[in-house]
Amino acid sequence: GTGSNILSALQDLFWLSKSKVEKQLQIISVLQWVLTFLIMGIACTLILMYILCTDCWAIAVLYLAWLVFDWNTPKKGGRRSQWVRNWAIWRYFRDYFPIRLVKTHNLLTTRNYIFGYHPHGIMGLGAFCNFSTEATGVSQKFPGIRPYLATLAGNFRMPILRDYLMSGGICPVNRDTIDYILSKNGSGNAIIIVVGGAAESLNCTPGKNSVTLRNRKGFVKLALRHGADLVPVYSFGENEVYKQVIFEEGSWGRWVQKKFQKHIGFAPCIFHGRGLFSSNTWGLLPYSKPITTVVGEPITIPKIDNPSQKEVDFYHSVYVDSLIKLFDKYKSKFGLPETEVLEVN
């Protein structure tokens, strides 16, 4: 009757509203991380300097004293918070794209691991969501494994930002930190290194599956020195969420980018996503394209205190072959044609 029709219409309206609210929450969750990535470090530094010049200077002094006392904590694996890693905001972040983590093999808790994450993309959104939050269930899929996402050490010199990053299990990507985690933190540790780094980010663009790996062998040497197994990880869709202006080799734009990369550690990219209120306008929000991160089979690595170049080259070639096989096995399942080839530079 008329009453049931009205009730049905109200239910439809309710669910429509709920859907819209969830979409807005997804946008907000992604936007806060993009702004964190781009400006939080600089903004917090400027705010701290400003507070020092106000009547609330004591607060800034106390924080700076704490900063000095806590300076080396990031080098010892940081200070992760399961509460932060389980925030509901990360589930909205996951669902915006959506992001998915695929497990292919079990990992032994009696071993340590170095995950090689590919490709970098503009912001490594898949790496962050999968390994610095619990949104995709990394702790359930790999029980007993503690993931540490490694990023630029300079981020941990920024007030507030450093504490925010550490709460998610993010650590500096330097030798001291990796040595500590793999030698003085027991077993069951997995350090995720975005191997291609800033150089790879300069070439990421939709439709391109390319990794900077051919001459990146430092992570293999670290694995040999600690006897940590290597695990190839490929994130299908990581390059699809932003569009970038690619400067050709030898151009002034590429020259500027390389200078920044050499002296500062990151390369400024000219990129855009969608707008805040419309997917048809340009903005800082990434496009909502699926990102599927596949964790491959671990490669057993022996412990060699001083590995020779020949040994490093051998295990590096094994790793490259394993990554290519992983890509070829799963590419058609995640929207790529069988003819697609992974370009290894």
Side-chain angles (χ1 to χ4, degrees), residues 35-87:
L35 294 178
T36 295
F37 183 89
L38 294 176
I39 66 171
M40 183 177 178
I42 295 173
C44 288
T45 301
L46 293 174
I47 291 171
L48 191 66
M49 292 172 63
Y50 171 75
I51 294 175
L52 279 170
C53 301
T54 69
D55 293 339
C56 298
W57 61 268
I59 296 174
V61 170
L62 285 173
Y63 180 80
L64 288 172
W66 161 253
L67 194 62
V68 172
F69 175 78
D70 195 55
W71 191 253
N72 289 323
T73 297
K75 297 179 182 179
K76 297 179 180 179
R79 186 172 46 250
R80 75 175 56 220
S81 166
Q82 285 302 115
W83 175 65
V84 173
R85 288 175 60 89
N86 280 288
W87 277 353

Side-chain angles (χ1 to χ4, degrees), residues 267-282:
C269 302
I270 299 178
F271 66 92
H272 74 85
R274 52 155 290 182
L276 182 60
F277 302 106
S278 172
S279 59
N280 296 321
T281 59
W282 288 10

Side-chain angles (χ1 to χ4, degrees), residues 115-121 193-205 208-220 233-234 239 244 246 249 254 258 261 267 269 316 319-320 323-324 327 341-345:
F115 288 18
Y117 184 92
H118 314 270
H120 183 287
I193 300 176
V194 186
V195 179
E200 189 172 88
S201 69
L202 297 178
N203 295 313
C204 67
T205 187
K208 186 173 184 179
N209 288 283
S210 172
V211 297
T212 301
L213 178 60
R214 193 68 67 187
N215 296 315
R216 300 290 176 108
K217 301 180 181 180
F219 74 106
V220 177
V233 179
Y234 197 85
N239 284 347
Q244 180 182 188
I246 304 293
E249 289 293 338
R254 183 53 64 99
K258 287 188 173 181
Q261 178 189 337
C269 302
H316 181 267
Y319 177 86
V320 172
L323 177 65
I324 293 173
F327 177 85
V341 175
L342 179 62
E343 181 183 332
V344 180
N345 299 314

Side-chain angles (χ1 to χ4, degrees), residues 120-313:
H120 183 287
I122 295 292
M123 297 184 187
L125 295 168
F128 167 75
C129 184
N130 285 308
F131 301 113
S132 294
T133 80
E134 294 297 331
T136 57
V138 63
S139 293
Q140 286 72 45
K141 291 176 179 176
F142 300 103
I145 301 298
R146 292 180 298 277
Y148 295 87
L149 177 60
T151 188
L152 289 176
N155 288 325
F156 297 89
R157 302 187 187 101
M158 302 285 188
I160 310 301
L161 175 63
R162 67 189 294 277
D163 302 288
Y164 190 32
L165 295 179
M166 285 193 292
S167 67
I170 301 177
C171 66
V173 61
N174 56 36
R175 179 171 171 175
D176 290 343
T177 304
I178 295 172
D179 284 345
Y180 183 92
I181 293 173
L182 295 181
S183 64
K184 298 180 181 179
N185 203 41
S187 59
N189 302 292
I191 299 178
I192 298 89
I193 300 176
V194 186
V195 179
E200 189 172 88
S201 69
L202 297 178
N203 295 313
C204 67
T205 187
K208 186 173 184 179
N209 288 283
S210 172
V211 297
T212 301
L213 178 60
R214 193 68 67 187
N215 296 315
R216 300 290 176 108
K217 301 180 181 180
F219 74 106
V220 177
K221 190 173 183 178
L222 283 168
L224 285 165
R225 289 180 62 245
H226 294 285
D229 294 348
L230 289 171
V231 182
V233 179
Y234 197 85
S235 221
F236 295 90
E238 185 72 66
N239 284 347
E240 307 300 315
V241 296
Y242 279 112
K243 295 178 181 179
Q244 180 182 188
V245 176
I246 304 293
F247 293 101
E248 297 295 330
E249 289 293 338
S251 66
W252 67 270
R254 183 53 64 99
W255 179 85
V256 170
Q257 289 175 322
K258 287 188 173 181
K259 285 295 182 182
F260 264 83
Q261 178 189 337
K262 180 180 179 180
H263 297 292
I264 302 179
F266 73 92
C269 302
I270 299 178
F271 66 92
H272 74 85
R274 52 155 290 182
L276 182 60
F277 302 106
S278 172
S279 59
N280 296 321
T281 59
W282 288 10
L284 289 176
L285 277 177
Y287 294 103
S288 53
K289 303 288 186 179
I291 299 176
T292 306
T293 303
V294 184
V295 180
E297 182 178 4
I299 303 166
T300 303
I301 301 294
K303 189 177 186 303
I304 305 174
D305 291 333
N306 293 296
S308 66
Q309 189 59 50
K310 184 177 180 181
E311 290 168 327
V312 172
D313 290 344

